[in-house]
Amino acid sequence: MKATLKPDKEQQYIDEHDNIYPEVTKGLRAAGVTNLHIWKDGLSLYLFIDMVEGKTLTVLGVGSEYRKSSARIQEWEEKMSSKYHSGWSEIEEIHSSDNWGN
């Protein structure tokens, strides 16, 4: 996934994630997230999420049980997508070592 940070929000975004709400981390784990990584290149953000087998990213989207499970999660998700970036978009995977066959 990819998003673009709003100018002059870089350090605030990092600080927010250094102090992520416990309800968010608990909610993500309950939804099936096993690993979540965000990389930054200038104003470009890249998000990589591993899910438990059988779960897809749809369990995290707008209207999902994850989003409905806590007012703090709703607050966090709204703050991230309005104050820091305008939402995540999917990017195309063009290569994976999973396909090497050895």
Side-chain angles (χ1 to χ4, degrees):
M1 307 281 287
K2 180 181 179 184
T4 303
L5 266 173
K6 293 182 179 177
D8 301 320
K9 296 291 185 177
E10 296 153 278
Q11 191 56 53
Q12 288 177 320
Y13 185 77
I14 292 167
D15 293 345
E16 290 278 8
H17 282 81
D18 286 345
N19 296 289
I20 191 169
Y21 301 162
E23 296 88 347
V24 172
T25 58
K26 244 175 125 174
L28 289 169
R29 291 280 186 225
V33 172
T34 56
N35 287 297
L36 186 150
H37 304 271
I38 300 173
W39 291 274
K40 185 178 93 55
D41 180 22
L43 294 178
S44 295
L45 298 172
Y46 299 92
L47 173 66
F48 178 82
I49 300 176
D50 275 329
M51 304 289 293
V52 297
E53 191 170 334
K55 296 272 185 161
T56 65
L57 293 177
T58 59
V59 300
L60 304 176
V62 175
S64 66
E65 288 303 312
Y66 158 73
R67 301 265 180 136
K68 295 176 188 176
S69 67
S70 163
R72 291 283 280 176
I73 289 173
Q74 293 169 16
E75 175 189 337
W76 174 268
E77 295 294 346
E78 175 60 29
K79 180 171 40 171
M80 292 301 115
S81 65
S82 64
K83 186 175 180 179
Y84 297 108
H85 57 73
S86 56
W88 294 98
S89 59
E90 289 192 40
I91 55 178
E92 181 182 4
E93 179 181 341
I94 60 167
H95 181 79
S96 171
S97 62
D98 292 345
N99 300 323
W100 288 356
N102 47 336

